[in-house]
Amino acid sequence: MASTAAARVLSPSSLSSPSSPVSSSSGHTASLSPLKAQFLARPLRQSSFGSAFFATSKGSGNKERSHTTPVRALIAPDGGSLVDLVVPEKERPARLGEAASLPSVTLTPIDVEWVHVLSEGWASPLRGFMRQSEYLQSLHFNSLRMADGSLVNMSVPIVLAIDDTVKDSIATSSSITLRAPSGEAIAIMRSIEIYKHNKEERIARTWGTTAPGLPYVEETITNSGNWLVGGDLEVLQPIKYHDGLDQYRLSPAQLRKIFEEKQADAVFAFQLRNPVHNGHALLMTDTRRRLLEMGYKNPILLLHPLGGYTKADDVPLEWRMKQHEKVLEEGVLDPESTVVAIFPSPMHYAGPTEVQWHAKARINAGADFYIVGRDPAGMGHPTQKRDLYDPDHGKLVLSMAPGLERLNILPFRVAAYDKSQGRMAFFDPSRAEDFLFISGTKMRNFAKTGVNPPEGFMCPGGWQVLVDYYQSLSSNSNGSLTKEQPKEPVAV
Amino acid sequence: MASTAAARVLSPSSLSSPSSPVSSSSGHTASLSPLKAQFLARPLRQSSFGSAFFATSKGSGNKERSHTTPVRALIAPDGGSLVDLVVPEKERPARLGEAASLPSVTLTPIDVEWVHVLSEGWASPLRGFMRQSEYLQSLHFNSLRMADGSLVNMSVPIVLAIDDTVKDSIATSSSITLRAPSGEAIAIMRSIEIYKHNKEERIARTWGTTAPGLPYVEETITNSGNWLVGGDLEVLQPIKYHDGLDQYRLSPAQLRKIFEEKQADAVFAFQLRNPVHNGHALLMTDTRRRLLEMGYKNPILLLHPLGGYTKADDVPLEWRMKQHEKVLEEGVLDPESTVVAIFPSPMHYAGPTEVQWHAKARINAGADFYIVGRDPAGMGHPTQKRDLYDPDHGKLVLSMAPGLERLNILPFRVAAYDKSQGRMAFFDPSRAEDFLFISGTKMRNFAKTGVNPPEGFMCPGGWQVLVDYYQSLSSNSNGSLTKEQPKEPVAV
């Protein structure tokens, strides 16, 4: 019979929930004891990036640590080396000249976010928008086969759609220029391949539904062209947004450098697109405690808010970043062992399919532990009164996904407000009546209506940011759309 | 960058078409010369089933061959050994007794076809209807992970749906009895697992559309229960249909025995659900000629019509079998090097997803070469005026599918009626005007209206079978449904 555990799913008692598949008897996923996991993780991480080496501090990070502490190498990027598609500075003038002479495609803002993602190697080993062979493998298998026969995970198609007119204008050229909405040339795509964009099939296989109202679909697919164009990218300069947040947009290479400087021997990533409340904080600090118990000396948290496209009723990035700042300022999370950075990918809301992308991209940034919760990348069904995805499927699919075998998956327990202790705590079903669940919607309503959440739900400074955000909305609700304001009314 | 060829795609000139992806420059699939393919195939087939051995004829097959001709072993079944779920004869009375005492589920005729498929190991290493972990892997990855970390292909979920009432009646039992529609106990399922049946997601991810009118969906899913139940099967006796065709329903084990007795050193499978015309025959004989040129001494053709559920306007199995019989009788195919048997699987019409299942199942029956044509397992879109699938995707997806690396894929050239020669020939685009394309619909219309197709399109005896079939329809069109009659009017 087929065994079903690919990635190693760790379930230290405080991380695994009673209802967690990890501890279920049906054998969905391999359940490793913390100790076993510790030893399992090491040889894998080493073999994937050569053996341990002696790091020399580059002047930042833990000053109190010896500069010759043996540190294990970070997990290797998919494909063995990190893809970097940005043209070296000295070659840029020549490339810019060439770009001006090539037929071009003007991108949407979300296309530009994908160029950013590709340019920094988040999607390593992908070197550009997908050609048909990658597209079909991603769509059907959620993975890409390497020349050596091995598989890397790639669950969401990263594709560029064009309409018939654009197709005709580039069809005879093997290289094309990609332009930002402003008209600025941002990349050259080489050896292009144009193939059919079957939107219905792409949507059905990626989201598991074709119901109207999927945010990413309505934003990027429904009105897009009937062709896809793929090829190898040469990005003419690093992608910047000039929105005051670029300093948080660290590339996988920059993150790896920081983790090495901090002499991290474990990096655990937390993907989020919501404000951090004390339940999240509890989970992250508890994860670090567990990793220390497992024998790691310096586990580093990558607090990694998604920074690309999100749906209208999510809290916008700049407000989330203000909120995360407060969480660190007010000591809810330990600044020394936490790295906050922006993950530049757009959000698909594709549940079990997308969570693989979220995890795979973090491997490329050096994370070897990934925290996964209930219904990752999920949302309500757009036309039915239910979750779009089974809340357990994300965790299960992630644990079985091809190409993620090297990743340690940390399923987490639901935290809720414990009325008996007046703070957020891991939910204890034996005294369920003590717990108060505060959903995202409920939290938003509190903030919108100026109601304070129970003491201890979120640090005061962080909460104030949310209140300010929703006040900025109402104060702007004279119709003029501002960057902070969702394109649609906030769902309540 | 990810290489995209998994299975070896062979393109001897007469097999590959100008438009074939095999010879395309975009590097979709590895193009091997016949010679390279010949040597490539050998070590793989050997390593997969131990080294070459000396077969001793068991009295059938090529009498003229020496009984000590060295013969390479057949390709190994997925998982290494062929699954056989039929209870040994001496244990049946005890099991039947137990079955009578267990809560039971009554199957549909198509469920019984799947029990048949599972019982004989066509789906090896699967040992029963899928549990959730297999279901999710099949749905998201088209493959199952083995305990050793390797992947086997499994592209269509093989699942058993039950409704709330049945669920409640079996929920407390770990073993259940599966009953034929007649009420007869046909199997025990052990260590059952019950999980949610999200029909919309299953349909979207399997077919790439949720449009109404997909034959298998309407027949088996739309009105099925909201739960799936999986577990290990013990089948109480070989599944028989008593329709006069059981002698053609050879199990993978029986087929392997025949191929060994015939001392086959290559087995090439041809999946079909239509009558064989001379274009198919040309293709199969040409394939054998090519395999001989490649150095194989005794390539055997497995002519393998699908025998399970098919849509209403396909020609029913018993008429197709009569037609195939004539094709052999009249010497269009060589009986010595051809094995005709029925593939018991139901038809999904799921194109690129299903063709993987069709190929994988044939590996389990000993086939190491698989012939794939335009739009395999495809059909028209149920609600739009177009093919449901891109006609090239089946071939491409098959060539890249995880778990099919050992299979040699033979893409084939379209054959059409060559008016200049008065026979079926491979289409030559340089003189397109000489060729007449006779679609399945056109062929059916000829047969229905008593029009003879051009001389040389199909052997006379085979054609007469089709004429008789359509006459049997009209003579029965007084409303009483007979086995030969489709459930709906034949599409024209």
Side-chain angles (χ1 to χ4, degrees):
Chain A
M1 191 60 276
S3 143
T4 60
R8 292 181 300 293
V9 178
L10 310 186
S11 58
S13 52
S14 82
L15 291 179
S16 72
S17 82
S19 68
S20 160
V22 175
S23 53
S24 82
S25 60
S26 53
H28 289 147
T29 56
S31 175
L32 306 178
S33 75
L35 204 64
K36 256 165 90 195
Q38 167 192 346
F39 295 124
L40 232 181
R42 285 175 174 173
L44 275 161
R45 209 170 32 259
Q46 289 182 358
S47 65
S48 63
F49 202 67
S51 58
F53 67 94
F54 284 75
T56 55
S57 165
K58 303 202 178 55
S60 88
N62 304 344
K63 288 270 174 289
E64 77 286 2
R65 284 171 151 274
S66 150
H67 286 193
T68 55
T69 311
V71 174
R72 283 191 302 282
L74 297 171
I75 188 170
D78 277 340
S81 63
L82 197 58
V83 165
D84 173 3
L85 302 177
V86 180
V87 174
E89 216 147 354
K90 58 176 180 1
E91 302 171 21
R92 288 177 196 168
R95 289 287 196 300
L96 277 165
E98 181 187 0
S101 72
L102 294 171
S104 69
V105 173
T106 302
L107 306 181
T108 67
I110 293 177
D111 293 333
V112 174
E113 289 173 358
W114 282 121
V115 171
H116 182 189
V117 164
L118 291 163
S119 69
E120 297 180 338
W122 295 99
S124 293
L126 212 56
R127 302 192 62 84
F129 286 106
M130 293 178 171
R131 298 188 177 92
Q132 184 170 247
S133 56
E134 284 104 30
Y135 172 70
L136 289 175
Q137 290 180 85
S138 175
L139 207 58
H140 287 272
F141 314 131
N142 289 5
S143 60
L144 300 177
R145 185 177 301 273
M146 303 296 294
D148 67 2
S150 65
L151 295 176
V152 295
N153 190 267
M154 193 64 248
S155 60
V156 299
I158 300 179
V159 289
L160 179 58
I162 55 174
D163 62 24
D164 298 35
T165 317
V166 174
K167 173 180 180 275
D168 296 343
S169 70
I170 63 172
T172 59
S173 179
S174 99
S175 297
I176 60 173
T177 295
L178 305 185
R179 298 187 179 279
S182 64
E184 180 195 11
I186 61 170
I188 293 174
M189 191 152 68
R190 306 278 187 196
S191 315
I192 63 164
E193 178 185 303
I194 299 173
Y195 54 102
K196 287 198 215 81
H197 186 198
N198 182 331
K199 300 178 191 180
E200 179 188 53
E201 181 174 18
R202 176 183 170 195
I203 295 162
R205 296 195 191 275
T206 304
W207 281 270
T209 178
T210 57
L214 297 167
Y216 186 91
V217 169
E218 306 227 315
E219 189 73 20
T220 72
I221 302 179
T222 307
N223 301 314
S224 68
N226 292 319
W227 302 94
L228 298 173
V229 55
D232 297 337
L233 281 181
E234 292 173 11
V235 181
L236 300 172
Q237 60 182 0
I239 304 291
K240 298 295 172 199
Y241 298 76
H242 310 293
D243 57 357
L245 299 176
D246 283 331
Q247 79 273 16
Y248 287 112
R249 295 189 175 94
L250 302 177
S251 70
Q254 290 170 312
L255 287 167
R256 287 175 168 271
K257 187 158 178 294
I258 290 168
F259 298 141
E260 281 170 9
E261 286 171 356
K262 283 182 172 289
Q263 305 192 354
D265 57 358
V267 176
F268 58 110
F270 189 68
Q271 142 76 28
L272 73 170
R273 61 171 212 271
N274 284 311
V276 173
H277 59 57
N278 290 346
H280 300 128
L282 169 66
L283 165 74
M284 291 184 263
T285 46
D286 189 72
T287 301
R288 181 160 201 273
R289 185 180 59 76
R290 282 286 158 183
L291 291 169
L292 291 167
E293 276 179 19
M294 285 162 60
Y296 293 98
K297 298 281 173 271
N298 188 32
I300 299 294
L301 164 64
L302 172 60
L303 183 66
H304 217 194
L306 179 137
Y309 162 80
T310 52
K311 60 188 167 72
D313 62 346
D314 283 349
V315 177
L317 177 65
E318 65 186 280
W319 290 94
R320 283 184 281 133
M321 292 308 290
K322 287 179 196 167
Q323 196 270 348
H324 301 340
E325 229 169 282
K326 291 292 177 193
V327 167
L328 286 157
E329 259 176 43
E330 302 187 13
V332 179
L333 290 171
D334 164 33
E336 249 318 293
S337 60
T338 304
V339 173
V340 185
I342 292 173
F343 176 49
S345 173
M347 189 74 198
H348 271 64
Y349 305 94
T353 299
E354 183 170 28
V355 71
Q356 299 171 67
W357 160 241
H358 287 173
K360 173 242 168 68
R362 271 51 176 242
I363 291 177
N364 285 333
D368 49 358
F369 289 84
Y370 187 82
I371 299 173
V372 60
R374 184 185 174 283
D375 199 19
M379 55 176 268
H381 192 289
T383 61
Q384 300 170 28
K385 280 211 168 309
R386 61 172 179 92
D387 287 335
L388 177 51
Y389 302 107
D390 181 316
D392 288 333
H393 281 189
K395 195 167 10 188
L396 288 168
V397 166
L398 189 60
S399 70
M400 301 187 288
L404 297 183
E405 298 80 2
R406 300 178 298 142
L407 188 65
N408 299 288
I409 291 167
L410 303 165
F412 74 77
R413 247 169 106 177
V414 177
Y417 188 75
D418 183 344
K419 293 174 286 184
S420 71
Q421 305 179 62
R423 57 176 184 79
M424 296 298 281
F426 289 117
F427 177 64
D428 174 357
S430 71
R431 46 185 193 87
E433 65 285 358
D434 292 347
F435 288 88
L436 180 66
F437 282 91
I438 300 174
S439 69
T441 308
K442 200 173 203 171
M443 183 186 73
R444 283 194 294 267
N445 289 340
F446 282 155
K448 286 175 61 183
T449 54
V451 175
N452 280 329
E455 174 83 26
F457 170 74
M458 186 185 287
C459 63
W463 182 256
Q464 191 52 51
V465 173
L466 292 192
V467 173
D468 296 345
Y469 162 58
Y470 283 105
Q471 280 176 357
S472 77
L473 282 189
S474 38
S475 67
N476 277 318
S477 56
N478 51 15
S480 75
L481 291 182
T482 73
K483 236 182 136 306
E484 292 75 16
Q485 188 175 29
K487 298 177 196 62
E488 302 156 20
V490 173
V492 291
Chain B
M1 191 59 275
S3 141
T4 60
R8 293 181 301 291
V9 178
L10 311 186
S11 58
S13 54
S14 82
L15 292 179
S16 72
S17 80
S19 67
S20 161
V22 175
S23 52
S24 84
S25 59
S26 52
H28 288 149
T29 54
S31 175
L32 305 179
S33 73
L35 205 63
K36 255 165 92 195
Q38 167 190 348
F39 294 123
L40 232 182
R42 284 173 175 173
L44 276 162
R45 208 171 31 259
Q46 288 181 359
S47 65
S48 65
F49 202 69
S51 59
F53 65 96
F54 284 73
T56 55
S57 164
K58 303 207 177 51
S60 86
N62 305 345
K63 288 270 174 290
E64 77 286 2
R65 282 173 152 272
S66 150
H67 286 192
T68 56
T69 309
V71 173
R72 282 192 303 282
L74 297 171
I75 188 171
D78 278 341
S81 63
L82 196 59
V83 164
D84 173 3
L85 302 176
V86 180
V87 173
E89 215 147 354
K90 59 173 174 12
E91 302 170 19
R92 289 176 196 168
R95 289 288 196 301
L96 277 164
E98 182 188 0
S101 71
L102 294 170
S104 69
V105 173
T106 301
L107 306 180
T108 67
I110 292 175
D111 294 332
V112 174
E113 290 173 357
W114 283 120
V115 171
H116 182 190
V117 164
L118 291 163
S119 69
E120 296 179 339
W122 296 98
S124 294
L126 212 56
R127 303 193 61 85
F129 286 106
M130 292 178 172
R131 297 188 177 94
Q132 184 170 248
S133 56
E134 285 103 30
Y135 171 70
L136 289 175
Q137 290 181 84
S138 174
L139 208 56
H140 287 272
F141 313 132
N142 287 193
S143 60
L144 300 177
R145 184 177 302 273
M146 302 296 294
D148 66 2
S150 65
L151 295 177
V152 295
N153 189 267
M154 192 65 248
S155 60
V156 299
I158 300 180
V159 290
L160 179 58
I162 54 173
D163 62 24
D164 297 35
T165 317
V166 173
K167 172 180 180 277
D168 296 343
S169 71
I170 65 172
T172 59
S173 180
S174 99
S175 296
I176 60 173
T177 295
L178 305 185
R179 299 187 178 278
S182 64
E184 181 195 10
I186 62 170
I188 293 175
M189 190 151 68
R190 305 279 187 196
S191 316
I192 64 165
E193 179 184 303
I194 299 173
Y195 55 101
K196 290 199 213 81
H197 186 196
N198 182 331
K199 300 177 190 182
E200 179 188 52
E201 182 175 16
R202 176 184 170 194
I203 295 163
R205 296 195 192 276
T206 305
W207 282 269
T209 177
T210 57
L214 297 167
Y216 187 90
V217 170
E218 306 229 314
E219 188 75 19
T220 73
I221 301 180
T222 308
N223 301 315
S224 69
N226 292 319
W227 302 95
L228 297 172
V229 56
D232 298 335
L233 280 180
E234 294 173 9
V235 180
L236 299 171
Q237 61 182 1
I239 304 291
K240 298 294 172 198
Y241 299 76
H242 311 293
D243 57 358
L245 300 176
D246 283 330
Q247 79 274 15
Y248 288 111
R249 295 190 175 92
L250 302 177
S251 70
Q254 290 170 311
L255 287 167
R256 286 174 169 271
K257 186 158 179 293
I258 290 168
F259 298 140
E260 283 170 8
E261 288 171 354
K262 285 182 172 287
Q263 305 191 355
D265 57 358
V267 176
F268 58 110
F270 189 69
Q271 142 76 30
L272 73 171
R273 61 170 213 269
N274 283 311
V276 173
H277 58 57
N278 289 347
H280 300 129
L282 168 66
L283 166 74
M284 292 183 263
T285 46
D286 189 72
T287 301
R288 181 161 201 272
R289 183 180 59 77
R290 281 287 159 182
L291 290 170
L292 290 168
E293 276 177 20
M294 283 163 60
Y296 292 99
K297 296 283 172 274
N298 187 30
I300 299 293
L301 163 64
L302 172 59
L303 183 68
H304 215 196
L306 179 137
Y309 162 80
T310 51
K311 59 188 167 70
D313 62 348
D314 283 349
V315 177
L317 177 65
E318 65 186 278
W319 290 95
R320 284 183 281 133
M321 292 308 290
K322 287 180 196 168
Q323 196 269 349
H324 301 339
E325 226 169 285
K326 290 292 178 193
V327 167
L328 285 157
E329 259 175 42
E330 301 186 12
V332 180
L333 290 171
D334 163 34
E336 250 316 293
S337 61
T338 305
V339 174
V340 185
I342 292 172
F343 177 48
S345 172
M347 189 76 198
H348 271 64
Y349 305 94
T353 299
E354 184 170 26
V355 71
Q356 298 171 68
W357 160 242
H358 287 173
K360 174 241 168 67
R362 271 51 175 241
I363 291 177
N364 285 332
D368 49 358
F369 289 84
Y370 187 82
I371 299 173
V372 60
R374 184 186 174 282
D375 199 18
M379 54 176 269
H381 192 289
T383 61
Q384 301 169 29
K385 279 212 169 309
R386 61 171 179 93
D387 286 336
L388 177 52
Y389 302 107
D390 181 316
D392 288 332
H393 282 189
K395 193 167 13 186
L396 288 168
V397 166
L398 188 61
S399 71
M400 302 187 288
L404 297 183
E405 298 80 3
R406 301 178 296 142
L407 188 65
N408 299 288
I409 292 169
L410 303 165
F412 75 77
R413 241 171 113 177
V414 178
Y417 188 76
D418 182 345
K419 292 175 285 184
S420 71
Q421 303 180 62
R423 60 177 182 80
M424 296 297 281
F426 289 116
F427 176 65
D428 174 355
S430 72
R431 47 185 193 88
E433 65 286 356
D434 291 349
F435 288 88
L436 180 67
F437 282 91
I438 300 175
S439 70
T441 308
K442 199 173 203 172
M443 183 186 74
R444 284 193 295 268
N445 289 340
F446 281 156
K448 286 175 63 183
T449 54
V451 176
N452 280 329
E455 175 83 26
F457 170 74
M458 187 184 287
C459 63
W463 182 255
Q464 190 53 50
V465 173
L466 292 192
V467 174
D468 296 347
Y469 162 59
Y470 284 105
Q471 280 176 358
S472 77
L473 284 188
S474 40
S475 67
N476 276 320
S477 58
N478 50 16
S480 73
L481 292 181
T482 73
K483 244 184 128 306
E484 292 77 14
Q485 189 173 30
K487 298 179 196 60
E488 301 157 21
V490 173
V492 292

